[in-house]
């Protein structure tokens, strides 16, 4: 564990968030359309703050929701 870096941490966080969103959607806690709205808003916010790579990463991991 001493050799993990910020990239590993960021990727792990994205995967964890994706899994949480799937669990919330499956359990009916929040409709998938609302979760997709959250992802779109986060991507747009990252893009407007010149964090294009981060916005692209978010879109990549949630692309099937964004496509609906």
């Amino acid at each position: 564990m001493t050799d993990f870096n910020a990239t590993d941490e960021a990727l792990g966080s994205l995967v964890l968030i994706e899994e949480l969103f799937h669990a919330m959607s499956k359990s009916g806690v929040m409709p998938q359309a609302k979760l997709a709205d959250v992802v779109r808003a986060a991507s747009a916010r990252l893009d407007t703050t010149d964090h294009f790579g981060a916005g692209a990463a978010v879109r990549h991991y949630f692309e099937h929701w964004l496509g609906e």
Side-chain angles (χ1 to χ4, degrees):
M1 287 294 296
T2 60
D3 62 343
F4 80 96
N5 57 36
T7 302
D8 297 330
E9 184 177 339
L11 179 59
S13 296
L14 272 174
V15 171
L16 175 61
I17 291 167
E18 183 181 22
E19 291 296 326
L20 289 170
F21 274 27
H22 282 292
M24 288 191 317
S25 177
K26 286 175 91 174
S27 70
V29 171
M30 184 179 284
Q32 189 167 329
K34 289 287 187 189
L35 293 169
D37 289 343
V38 170
V39 172
R40 282 188 198 95
S43 296
R45 186 172 168 194
L46 288 164
D47 286 345
T48 59
T49 56
D50 294 333
H51 290 93
F52 301 112
V58 169
R59 281 188 298 278
H60 172 75
Y61 277 93
F62 293 94
E63 66 185 354
H64 67 281
W65 283 356
L66 294 170
E68 294 179 1

